[in-house]
Amino acid sequence: MNSRQRTSRYGFGLHFAVGATSVILLFAAILRGFPPVIEQSLGAALLVVLILHARMGFALGRLQNELDILRGLTKRALPVAGEEVIGAMKITPDARLSHDDMARLNRVSEAVESGRVDLYLQPIVSLPQRKPRFYEAFSRLRDADGRILKPADYLEAAERANNIGVIDNMILMRCIQALRDEKKRSPRLAVFCNLSPATIYDTNFFNQLTDYLELNSDLATNLIFEFTYPAIQTMHPKLTENLNAIAARGFEFSIDHVHSLDLDWEDLRGRNFSFAKAPASLLLAASRGDEASVARLRAFRKRLAEVGVDLIAEKIEFENHMPEILSLGIDYGQGNLFGAARRSDFYLGADGAGAAGAGADKAAAA
């Protein structure tokens, strides 16, 4: 039974109890000859109690559903013969896994399960104002000694152990939970969060993630999911249905790793892709080409504006590139020129005050 069915049955049972109890009390009051004012007082008191009970019941039901989904998202795999369980990851003995590999994976799993996943943010600024409007989220793991575990330190070992997907999934959930905490301090914070191909193609996890987001649709104004174009291009129809379900809850999407300006932007916008990221080098190369290249770039910008997709020029590193980028009429920019990825409190401050300009709606951002 899913969360909607549970809630529906609970609501039906509650309404039935309200009606039956009200009829019994009023009938008893009439038989006893109570004055009308007492009957009205009893009815009002009963109504208040039932409203409070309903609110508490629905809140507890929602919490229970969320806990059930979180257990499914983070549950540990049961050990089977010939396998060693390291945290939430199963490591099958293999000649390709050295002792160093095992140690690295152990540090990763222990960091995730101990909650040592730090939220890092990089600003995405409006142009030409250079005011932070959004942030892209990154996760950084810390070991027991406080040292940062860089992805380069464990990615090869995780690939050899076939655990990239498990690690990505665990980090994603920690990232979303960290965003929930930040939202309490910075209600207008809007963050781009990457969904890796490994997460997208983990059907069971992605189905449960969809359920989790359904229960947390209040995050829709704060969370923009980012996908690579190759992942979207090769996505199975069933996963497309999941994306549609997430979009129906109000979540917007962004696409990066754009390698060409000639994509089906109308189709992408119809699937709730509201942002597109293109490397500054791709845009600058087009603007410096022959007249045909410049014309294609202008047509590209016009087409995006017509379908309602905002363009983000990413990987902007040098100030001397800005005059050309601004001349292209780009909506937003991202890169080390505007700020490197740093711990969230660097940009938001201890009290979240630094996010005053972030997360404003797109109309205000324009």
Side-chain angles (χ1 to χ4, degrees):
M1 185 185 303
N2 61 30
S3 59
R4 287 184 176 179
Q5 290 172 326
R6 290 179 185 175
T7 303
S8 178
R9 290 192 178 186
Y10 179 83
F12 175 79
L14 185 63
H15 290 153
F16 179 80
V18 169
T21 305
S22 299
V23 169
I24 292 172
L25 282 178
L26 291 175
F27 186 67
I30 293 172
L31 288 179
R32 292 288 182 178
F34 289 163
V37 66
I38 296 181
E39 296 177 14
Q40 294 169 1
S41 299
L42 283 173
L46 175 64
L47 181 62
V48 170
V49 170
L50 288 175
I51 289 175
L52 293 175
H53 181 268
R55 289 174 62 88
M56 181 177 67
F58 283 120
L60 290 175
R62 183 180 183 279
L63 179 60
Q64 182 61 49
N65 291 335
E66 186 169 338
L67 289 174
D68 289 343
I69 293 173
L70 280 174
R71 289 192 189 100
L73 289 168
T74 59
K75 67 182 179 181
R76 300 184 179 187
L78 295 175
V80 298
E83 292 181 330
E84 176 183 352
V85 178
I86 296 183
M89 299 183 295
K90 293 191 297 183
I91 307 296
T92 303
D94 192 303
R96 294 173 296 178
L97 293 179
S98 65
H99 290 297
D100 287 342
D101 288 340
M102 300 287 284
R104 290 190 184 99
L105 295 176
N106 188 34
R107 291 169 66 198
V108 169
S109 179
E110 199 271 334
V112 173
E113 293 188 357
S114 299
R116 293 195 299 273
V117 182
D118 295 330
L119 181 65
Y120 276 55
L121 300 175
Q122 183 176 35
I124 298 172
V125 303
S126 60
L127 296 178
Q129 300 90 346
R130 302 194 186 190
K131 183 177 181 180
R133 294 296 184 180
F134 310 96
Y135 292 91
E136 181 169 355
F138 303 90
S139 296
R140 295 291 183 267
L141 306 179
R142 284 179 290 109
D143 64 15
D145 297 323
R147 292 189 296 266
I148 298 296
L149 301 177
K150 299 178 181 178
D153 296 336
Y154 59 80
L155 279 182
E156 289 186 5
E159 287 175 352
R160 285 191 287 270
N162 197 29
N163 271 304
I164 284 290
V166 176
I167 294 174
D168 284 349
N169 295 348
M170 291 192 297
I171 292 178
L172 172 64
M173 290 309 301
R174 292 292 187 186
C175 183
I176 293 176
Q177 291 166 13
L179 285 175
R180 287 197 67 87
D181 293 337
E182 290 292 350
K183 182 183 176 183
K184 298 173 184 175
R185 300 191 303 158
S186 309
R188 299 174 65 209
L189 176 66
V191 172
F192 287 65
C193 188
N194 288 276
L195 284 184
S196 72
T199 294
I200 296 172
Y201 294 114
D202 185 340
T203 306
N204 291 334
F205 177 85
F206 202 58
N207 288 339
Q208 292 174 325
L209 176 64
T210 303
D211 290 340
Y212 179 81
L213 293 175
E214 180 178 345
L215 288 172
N216 292 274
S217 57
D218 60 302
L219 288 175
T221 57
N222 305 89
L223 192 56
I224 301 157
F225 287 111
E226 189 162 284
F227 305 84
T228 65
Y229 180 68
I232 293 299
Q233 227 178 355
T234 59
M235 184 172 288
H236 189 276
K238 174 60 180 175
L239 299 181
T240 301
E241 291 178 12
N242 285 347
L243 280 193
N244 293 338
I246 294 175
R249 301 290 173 266
F251 290 91
E252 293 183 299
F253 305 135
S254 172
I255 188 167
D256 69 352
H257 290 203
V258 171
H259 63 280
S260 169
L261 306 182
D262 300 319
L263 303 181
D264 191 345
W265 297 107
E266 288 80 7
D267 175 69
L268 289 168
R269 185 66 189 96
R271 295 157 69 179
N272 222 35
F273 281 85
S274 303
F275 300 90
K277 287 187 177 182
S281 57
L282 175 68
L283 300 172
L284 291 174
S287 69
R288 296 167 182 170
D290 55 22
E291 291 185 8
S293 297
V294 175
R296 280 198 300 272
L297 182 59
R298 289 173 180 165
F300 164 68
R301 287 291 302 116
K302 181 180 178 182
R303 188 177 174 190
L304 286 189
E306 289 174 349
V307 300
V309 175
D310 285 327
L311 179 62
I312 300 172
E314 61 177 345
K315 301 178 182 176
I316 301 176
E317 310 295 332
F318 304 107
E319 185 64 44
N320 60 0
H321 289 163
M322 285 306 299
E324 287 183 89
I325 290 174
L326 292 177
S327 70
L328 300 177
I330 306 296
D331 304 303
Y332 301 101
Q334 180 181 1
N336 288 334
L337 178 64
F338 310 117
R342 298 179 182 271
R343 282 179 59 108
S344 59
D345 53 8
F346 177 86
Y347 290 112
L348 306 184
D351 57 357
D361 59 44
K362 290 166 61 177

